[in-house]
Amino acid sequence: MALTNCDIDDVAQKIVNRYLKLSGYQNMNIDISELLAVLFNLKIVYHTLSNDGSILGLFSPVPMTITVNSKNESTLVELDGKTIVIDESLLKDSFIGRKNFTIAHEGAHYIFSLY
């Protein structure tokens, strides 16, 4: 099923409203990691996903194990349908906006897999 822009806006507004009711916040400063954890039981983990920074986030709605090659080492990463993997380079303070965008992007994959 394809969602229209209006459908996506409706889903987003419902999620934000649910989060604001649960959290008791009076403003629109939303912690996207907390929102995904509280409303959808998603967890976020950090790994180096690529040597060149070309992969910033991963999510799979179905369980799978992937191999990430980083710094000449192979690492197995478990994607269980409830885990978002974010590149650890985004933990730097200067990348907070990019980190939040990437977490929201990967979380949207989960949310829209429900529709």
Side-chain angles (χ1 to χ4, degrees), residues 10-11 23 30 32 52 60-61 63 66-67 79-80 104 110 112:
D10 288 344
V11 169
S23 67
I30 294 173
I32 190 66
D52 63 359
S60 174
I66 61 167
T67 302
L79 298 175
D80 60 4
Y110 173 80
F112 292 124

PDB file of all heavy atoms in Angstrom, residues 10-11 23 30 32 52 60-61 63 66-67 79-80 104 110 112:
ATOM      1  N   ASP A  10      -0.442  12.584   8.620  1.00  0.00           N
ATOM      2  CA  ASP A  10      -1.376  12.115   9.655  1.00  0.00           C
ATOM      3  C   ASP A  10      -0.694  11.147  10.614  1.00  0.00           C
ATOM      4  O   ASP A  10      -0.864  11.244  11.831  1.00  0.00           O
ATOM      5  CB  ASP A  10      -2.596  11.442   9.022  1.00  0.00           C
ATOM      6  CG  ASP A  10      -3.530  12.418   8.343  1.00  0.00           C
ATOM      7  OD1 ASP A  10      -3.423  13.644   8.596  1.00  0.00           O
ATOM      8  OD2 ASP A  10      -4.383  11.953   7.550  1.00  0.00           O
ATOM      9  N   VAL A  11       0.065  10.211  10.078  1.00  0.00           N
ATOM     10  CA  VAL A  11       0.791   9.249  10.917  1.00  0.00           C
ATOM     11  C   VAL A  11       1.763   9.990  11.829  1.00  0.00           C
ATOM     12  O   VAL A  11       1.827   9.746  13.040  1.00  0.00           O
ATOM     13  CB  VAL A  11       1.544   8.206  10.053  1.00  0.00           C
ATOM     14  CG1 VAL A  11       2.506   7.382  10.896  1.00  0.00           C
ATOM     15  CG2 VAL A  11       0.556   7.298   9.330  1.00  0.00           C
ATOM     16  N   SER A  23       4.866  11.784  27.589  1.00  0.00           N
ATOM     17  CA  SER A  23       6.027  12.420  28.191  1.00  0.00           C
ATOM     18  C   SER A  23       5.670  13.629  29.048  1.00  0.00           C
ATOM     19  O   SER A  23       6.471  14.044  29.877  1.00  0.00           O
ATOM     20  CB  SER A  23       7.006  12.853  27.094  1.00  0.00           C
ATOM     21  OG  SER A  23       6.427  13.885  26.316  1.00  0.00           O
ATOM     22  N   ILE A  30      11.501  17.268  20.691  1.00  0.00           N
ATOM     23  CA  ILE A  30      11.280  15.828  20.784  1.00  0.00           C
ATOM     24  C   ILE A  30      12.599  15.084  20.701  1.00  0.00           C
ATOM     25  O   ILE A  30      13.393  15.313  19.796  1.00  0.00           O
ATOM     26  CB  ILE A  30      10.325  15.366  19.657  1.00  0.00           C
ATOM     27  CG1 ILE A  30       8.951  15.986  19.895  1.00  0.00           C
ATOM     28  CG2 ILE A  30      10.250  13.857  19.581  1.00  0.00           C
ATOM     29  CD1 ILE A  30       7.976  15.759  18.781  1.00  0.00           C
ATOM     30  N   ILE A  32      14.048  12.012  19.573  1.00  0.00           N
ATOM     31  CA  ILE A  32      13.607  10.965  18.655  1.00  0.00           C
ATOM     32  C   ILE A  32      13.985   9.575  19.157  1.00  0.00           C
ATOM     33  O   ILE A  32      13.224   8.621  18.996  1.00  0.00           O
ATOM     34  CB  ILE A  32      14.115  11.216  17.205  1.00  0.00           C
ATOM     35  CG1 ILE A  32      13.461  10.258  16.214  1.00  0.00           C
ATOM     36  CG2 ILE A  32      15.624  11.130  17.126  1.00  0.00           C
ATOM     37  CD1 ILE A  32      11.998  10.445  16.040  1.00  0.00           C
ATOM     38  N   ASP A  52      34.257   4.397   4.751  1.00  0.00           N
ATOM     39  CA  ASP A  52      34.214   5.683   4.054  1.00  0.00           C
ATOM     40  C   ASP A  52      33.023   6.568   4.457  1.00  0.00           C
ATOM     41  O   ASP A  52      32.807   7.613   3.871  1.00  0.00           O
ATOM     42  CB  ASP A  52      34.208   5.461   2.549  1.00  0.00           C
ATOM     43  CG  ASP A  52      32.977   4.711   2.061  1.00  0.00           C
ATOM     44  OD1 ASP A  52      32.114   4.336   2.882  1.00  0.00           O
ATOM     45  OD2 ASP A  52      32.882   4.482   0.831  1.00  0.00           O
ATOM     46  N   SER A  60      16.247  -3.343   9.565  1.00  0.00           N
ATOM     47  CA  SER A  60      15.546  -4.365   8.795  1.00  0.00           C
ATOM     48  C   SER A  60      14.313  -4.784   9.589  1.00  0.00           C
ATOM     49  O   SER A  60      14.421  -5.068  10.782  1.00  0.00           O
ATOM     50  CB  SER A  60      16.434  -5.590   8.562  1.00  0.00           C
ATOM     51  OG  SER A  60      15.678  -6.615   7.938  1.00  0.00           O
ATOM     52  N   PRO A  61      13.142  -4.828   8.942  1.00  0.00           N
ATOM     53  CA  PRO A  61      11.935  -5.254   9.652  1.00  0.00           C
ATOM     54  C   PRO A  61      11.908  -6.748   9.936  1.00  0.00           C
ATOM     55  O   PRO A  61      11.112  -7.203  10.749  1.00  0.00           O
ATOM     56  CB  PRO A  61      10.799  -4.839   8.712  1.00  0.00           C
ATOM     57  CG  PRO A  61      11.425  -4.817   7.366  1.00  0.00           C
ATOM     58  CD  PRO A  61      12.859  -4.424   7.568  1.00  0.00           C
ATOM     59  N   PRO A  63      14.279 -10.203  11.064  1.00  0.00           N
ATOM     60  CA  PRO A  63      15.552 -10.514  11.705  1.00  0.00           C
ATOM     61  C   PRO A  63      16.603 -10.994  10.704  1.00  0.00           C
ATOM     62  O   PRO A  63      16.308 -11.785   9.811  1.00  0.00           O
ATOM     63  CB  PRO A  63      15.192 -11.633  12.682  1.00  0.00           C
ATOM     64  CG  PRO A  63      13.726 -11.477  12.919  1.00  0.00           C
ATOM     65  CD  PRO A  63      13.170 -10.962  11.627  1.00  0.00           C
ATOM     66  N   ILE A  66      24.049  -9.250   9.783  1.00  0.00           N
ATOM     67  CA  ILE A  66      24.854  -8.706   8.694  1.00  0.00           C
ATOM     68  C   ILE A  66      26.300  -8.614   9.136  1.00  0.00           C
ATOM     69  O   ILE A  66      26.600  -8.545  10.326  1.00  0.00           O
ATOM     70  CB  ILE A  66      24.344  -7.329   8.226  1.00  0.00           C
ATOM     71  CG1 ILE A  66      24.415  -6.307   9.367  1.00  0.00           C
ATOM     72  CG2 ILE A  66      22.941  -7.429   7.672  1.00  0.00           C
ATOM     73  CD1 ILE A  66      24.228  -4.889   8.910  1.00  0.00           C
ATOM     74  N   THR A  67      27.179  -8.634   8.175  1.00  0.00           N
ATOM     75  CA  THR A  67      28.592  -8.450   8.439  1.00  0.00           C
ATOM     76  C   THR A  67      28.971  -7.055   7.986  1.00  0.00           C
ATOM     77  O   THR A  67      28.707  -6.667   6.855  1.00  0.00           O
ATOM     78  CB  THR A  67      29.437  -9.490   7.685  1.00  0.00           C
ATOM     79  OG1 THR A  67      29.013 -10.794   8.081  1.00  0.00           O
ATOM     80  CG2 THR A  67      30.908  -9.317   7.990  1.00  0.00           C
ATOM     81  N   LEU A  79      20.323  -7.591  13.437  1.00  0.00           N
ATOM     82  CA  LEU A  79      19.133  -6.769  13.200  1.00  0.00           C
ATOM     83  C   LEU A  79      17.944  -7.674  13.503  1.00  0.00           C
ATOM     84  O   LEU A  79      17.750  -8.691  12.849  1.00  0.00           O
ATOM     85  CB  LEU A  79      19.094  -6.275  11.756  1.00  0.00           C
ATOM     86  CG  LEU A  79      20.251  -5.376  11.326  1.00  0.00           C
ATOM     87  CD1 LEU A  79      20.165  -5.058   9.846  1.00  0.00           C
ATOM     88  CD2 LEU A  79      20.279  -4.101  12.144  1.00  0.00           C
ATOM     89  N   ASP A  80      17.186  -7.327  14.524  1.00  0.00           N
ATOM     90  CA  ASP A  80      16.115  -8.204  15.000  1.00  0.00           C
ATOM     91  C   ASP A  80      14.711  -7.678  14.723  1.00  0.00           C
ATOM     92  O   ASP A  80      13.741  -8.160  15.274  1.00  0.00           O
ATOM     93  CB  ASP A  80      16.287  -8.470  16.495  1.00  0.00           C
ATOM     94  CG  ASP A  80      16.233  -7.199  17.330  1.00  0.00           C
ATOM     95  OD1 ASP A  80      15.983  -6.114  16.755  1.00  0.00           O
ATOM     96  OD2 ASP A  80      16.444  -7.283  18.552  1.00  0.00           O
ATOM     97  N   ALA A 104      15.714   9.191  12.885  1.00  0.00           N
ATOM     98  CA  ALA A 104      14.324   9.373  12.452  1.00  0.00           C
ATOM     99  C   ALA A 104      14.062   8.637  11.138  1.00  0.00           C
ATOM    100  O   ALA A 104      13.014   8.000  10.966  1.00  0.00           O
ATOM    101  CB  ALA A 104      14.010  10.863  12.302  1.00  0.00           C
ATOM    102  N   TYR A 110      10.715   1.444  10.200  1.00  0.00           N
ATOM    103  CA  TYR A 110       9.944   0.566  11.099  1.00  0.00           C
ATOM    104  C   TYR A 110       8.477   0.992  11.118  1.00  0.00           C
ATOM    105  O   TYR A 110       7.573   0.175  10.937  1.00  0.00           O
ATOM    106  CB  TYR A 110      10.521   0.582  12.519  1.00  0.00           C
ATOM    107  CG  TYR A 110       9.632  -0.173  13.484  1.00  0.00           C
ATOM    108  CD1 TYR A 110       9.697  -1.555  13.529  1.00  0.00           C
ATOM    109  CD2 TYR A 110       8.702   0.489  14.270  1.00  0.00           C
ATOM    110  CE1 TYR A 110       8.856  -2.265  14.384  1.00  0.00           C
ATOM    111  CE2 TYR A 110       7.868  -0.209  15.119  1.00  0.00           C
ATOM    112  CZ  TYR A 110       7.952  -1.585  15.157  1.00  0.00           C
ATOM    113  OH  TYR A 110       7.112  -2.285  15.989  1.00  0.00           O
ATOM    114  N   PHE A 112       6.615   2.746   9.080  1.00  0.00           N
ATOM    115  CA  PHE A 112       5.850   2.527   7.856  1.00  0.00           C
ATOM    116  C   PHE A 112       5.756   1.055   7.479  1.00  0.00           C
ATOM    117  O   PHE A 112       4.907   0.690   6.666  1.00  0.00           O
ATOM    118  CB  PHE A 112       6.392   3.393   6.722  1.00  0.00           C
ATOM    119  CG  PHE A 112       6.138   4.858   6.970  1.00  0.00           C
ATOM    120  CD1 PHE A 112       7.180   5.770   6.977  1.00  0.00           C
ATOM    121  CD2 PHE A 112       4.862   5.323   7.234  1.00  0.00           C
ATOM    122  CE1 PHE A 112       6.945   7.117   7.224  1.00  0.00           C
ATOM    123  CE2 PHE A 112       4.608   6.654   7.494  1.00  0.00           C
ATOM    124  CZ  PHE A 112       5.655   7.560   7.494  1.00  0.00           C
TER     125      PHE A 112
END
